[in-house]
Amino acid sequence: MAGLEPLYAWARAAVSRPQDALVCAVHWELVRHGYRCLGAGDQPGPNERKSELLPAGWEANKEVYTLRYKSTDDARELLLKAIMVEDSMILNVMDRSSQKVADVTLAVADYINPEHLDDFHRVYKNTEELRTRIASGIITPLSALTEKTKSEPEAEKKDADLPRDYDPLRVPPRQPAGTRAPSWPSPLSPFAVGGEDLDPFGGRSGGMIVDPLRSGFRQPGIDPSSGIPGRLPPGAVPPGARFDPFGPLGAGRSGPDPDHLPPPGYDDMFM
């Protein structure tokens, strides 16, 4: 508690109750951790400046002590309220920049000898425990919150670099970025049957009408708009119209022709 002794000697005239001595110890711990007192009360007053001493009127209210602090680097400003509840003191500290709050409850009798308020060497007890409680309950939580607040803009910047429609739950495509999508399967593939019906504007060939003897083999292209000798005159089919051929086309058709010969017994009335 080095440094607390001259502070206590300076404030001794104002110390009349055990909670006054406890506030002195809490104040000095904040000073040790890089804070300086600005003044008493919630609102700033004229001509305030940072000081290691307690401000005038700090002990005016024995039930609620209100003090304001600022770090030596001006990065943080704290509002301390020490509230008496029966024999305990609740320390409630708010970081004004982030609006984050830390608090700790101290039993006054655990750290102050009320019979020795006039003797610094006997007024305090369990000082190491008191310092640990203040550090772990106030200093460390507020410092961690400040560091987290500083890192949040960096996280927001990273999020801003993502596409607007980015969805972390969406399964990413297997296709590498910047490459073209693979083309549709070859229409000559036997598994491409029906592709034209599934993708009528994709320029695929196929359809629901399939010649099982020619599936998967290249066939000469037919332009129905030019006519089919012996079957359709030129212009019978409008250019670009979908046309499903009927009947065998050409003389090179392989395999048996079901119209070559009539079936046996075709004139049988029971057939």
Side-chain angles (χ1 to χ4, degrees):
M1 303 291 282
L4 177 59
E5 182 175 0
L7 173 69
Y8 192 82
W10 174 86
R12 173 66 188 88
V15 176
S16 60
R17 296 189 182 184
Q19 57 262 38
D20 295 334
L22 185 56
V23 170
C24 285
V26 173
H27 165 84
W28 187 247
E29 278 303 299
L30 291 174
V31 171
R32 287 185 61 254
H33 285 87
Y35 291 92
R36 299 294 181 265
C37 191
L38 294 175
D42 297 280
Q43 301 302 323
N47 302 322
E48 283 189 345
R49 58 182 180 180
K50 294 183 288 186
S51 174
E52 294 183 2
L53 300 177
L54 285 162
W58 65 273
E59 82 298 349
N61 189 338
K62 303 295 184 180
E63 300 301 321
V64 180
Y65 299 80
T66 304
L67 298 169
R68 288 175 293 106
Y69 294 84
K70 180 175 280 191
S71 60
T72 53
D73 58 0
D74 295 332
R76 296 179 295 275
E77 185 173 346
L78 305 181
L79 175 64
L80 166 67
K81 286 185 179 291
I83 306 168
M84 287 300 300
V85 179
E86 296 182 351
D87 296 329
S88 297
M89 177 179 287
I90 301 175
L91 299 177
N92 185 279
V93 184
M94 181 183 70
D95 186 327
R96 286 195 158 181
S97 59
S98 63
Q99 300 296 308
K100 303 298 183 180
V101 176
D103 58 78
V104 63
T105 301
L106 305 173
V108 178
D110 290 345
Y111 309 104
I112 305 297
N113 289 313
E115 299 86 4
H116 303 287
L117 295 180
D118 57 346
D119 186 353
F120 171 78
H121 298 285
R122 302 172 68 183
V123 68
Y124 292 105
K125 57 182 178 180
N126 302 322
T127 54
E128 288 302 321
E129 179 185 338
L130 176 60
R131 293 175 60 181
T132 301
R133 294 286 306 279
I134 295 173
S136 61
I138 296 176
I139 304 298
T140 300
L142 291 180
S143 299
L145 290 172
T146 302
E147 294 300 324
K148 181 180 179 181
T149 303
K150 290 181 179 179
S151 64
E152 284 177 355
E154 294 296 328
E156 293 176 359
K157 182 178 179 182
K158 292 181 180 179
D159 293 341
D161 295 336
L162 297 174
R164 183 171 296 181
D165 59 346
Y166 172 75
D167 184 356
L169 300 180
R170 182 183 303 165
V171 178
R174 295 185 180 182
Q175 177 185 345
T179 60
R180 298 182 60 185
S183 58
W184 287 96
S186 170
L188 300 180
S189 170
F191 300 102
V193 174
E196 188 72 18
D197 300 282
L198 296 175
D199 185 24
F201 301 106
R204 301 176 60 185
S205 63
M208 300 305 295
I209 300 179
V210 180
D211 183 356
L213 300 178
R214 300 241 188 265
S215 176
F217 295 91
R218 186 181 300 276
Q219 299 186 27
I222 299 174
D223 183 7
S225 63
S226 63
I228 300 179
R231 288 180 171 80
L232 293 174
V237 179
R242 177 166 178 168
F243 176 75
D244 292 328
F246 53 89
L249 299 178
R253 188 171 189 268
S254 61
D257 187 347
D259 296 329
H260 186 219
L261 292 174
Y266 70 96
D267 55 349
D268 189 344
M269 63 177 294
F270 296 104
M271 183 177 177

